[in-house]
Amino acid sequence: MTDFTRLRDPLWRRVVRASLPADGRRKGTRPAHDHGPGDRAHGAPGHDHGPATDGMRVMSHVATDKPRFEWRTLRTAEFGFPGDQRDALVAAVLDGTKTATSEPLDGYRRHDLDPGDELGNYEVVVDSLNQPVALIRINSVATVPLADVDQAHAARDGRGFTTAAQWRTAHEEFWNSDDFRAKLGEPTLELGDDTPIVLLGFRTYRPGDVVAGHVVDFSDVPGA
């Protein structure tokens, strides 16, 4: 996803697609976006989802009786550019305040991708050091004109926007930035009321959470 977050936002985010699970979904590389409110992301029942360090302690226990979730073949979700921007976005993803992101449909078209194919996909969220910190699963996909992005989505964005107008101003600034255009190779992106924007909702799974009977575990990653 490419949202000024997912570069999937930076504030948006960018997703570089690596290979997807062996379930017939496509592989490739894709642009960046931003995701926004809805239900707070929750982990599996019975697990404590406090600070990330607590999650790692839970993980070491759960991993002894459940197989690890195979995440290495998933695409990567890079929220914003490395540094303060990504650190803040990743923190919002981990604490559950950010449960959505977005990006212009043009980014999908440039990579011959269908936003609908996102639904149900898992992605690996990485931090500024490119280390995996969580998984997200896309649970909603919608394409709407830029002028129709509402306050509900703005709230799910996790950056404290109280109006859709605030969300739009921030995203237009990012999507029109030289850094964003250079990164995505989209120098001619035109934004207006009718510009199609892909809105994605997601659920976050932290270390120690159980996904389809498998535990999320990044402990074997160098530097983790």
Side-chain angles (χ1 to χ4, degrees):
M1 305 169 189
T2 332
D3 122 24
F4 87 90
T5 313
R6 230 159 133 179
L7 264 166
R8 222 182 212 207
D9 193 337
L11 285 171
W12 309 157
R13 96 179 222 204
R14 168 187 175 78
V15 167
V16 175
R17 289 192 176 229
S19 48
L20 299 177
D23 61 358
R25 300 177 191 248
R26 78 175 71 196
K27 300 180 181 180
T29 299
R30 65 175 258 170
H33 16 206
D34 179 84
H35 306 282
D39 295 337
R40 177 185 177 87
H42 294 291
H47 291 286
D48 176 13
H49 300 298
T53 52
D54 292 337
M56 294 300 289
R57 287 197 291 272
V58 172
M59 175 187 67
S60 64
H61 170 71
V62 177
T64 62
D65 51 32
K66 293 187 182 297
R68 293 180 178 179
F69 186 90
E70 180 46 63
W71 57 270
R72 293 180 183 275
T73 58
L74 300 178
R75 63 191 169 195
T76 300
E78 299 177 283
F79 286 88
F81 294 108
D84 292 345
Q85 187 180 77
R86 181 172 298 174
D87 293 345
L89 289 167
V90 168
V93 169
L94 291 175
D95 71 18
T97 58
K98 183 173 181 61
T99 60
T101 190
S102 60
E103 71 176 279
L105 178 62
D106 186 64
Y108 286 87
R109 290 172 172 167
R110 288 172 181 269
H111 294 81
D112 193 27
L113 299 174
D114 180 351
D117 291 342
E118 294 270 26
L119 192 63
N121 282 351
Y122 291 92
E123 297 179 4
V124 184
V125 179
V126 296
D127 62 17
S128 291
L129 298 178
N130 206 38
Q131 294 294 305
V133 296
L135 298 181
I136 57 173
R137 188 184 190 197
I138 307 304
N139 55 24
S140 67
V141 180
T143 301
V144 303
L146 179 57
D148 289 350
V149 177
D150 59 17
Q151 193 278 334
H153 178 82
R156 294 183 64 192
D157 183 81
R159 276 162 296 174
F161 298 127
T162 58
T163 67
Q166 290 177 346
W167 175 93
R168 177 169 176 170
T169 297
H171 281 72
E172 285 188 331
E173 180 179 346
F174 176 77
W175 287 331
N176 281 316
S177 69
D178 291 339
D179 287 343
F180 180 84
R181 294 183 181 222
K183 184 74 172 178
L184 301 182
E186 298 178 355
T188 60
L189 180 63
E190 297 287 341
L191 295 173
D193 285 352
D194 296 329
T195 302
I197 303 296
V198 179
L199 309 181
L200 302 116
F202 59 87
R203 174 176 176 172
T204 299
Y205 295 90
R206 305 161 186 78
D209 285 351
V210 175
V211 182
H214 293 66
V215 69
V216 177
D217 182 355
F218 306 124
S219 62
D220 60 341
V221 177

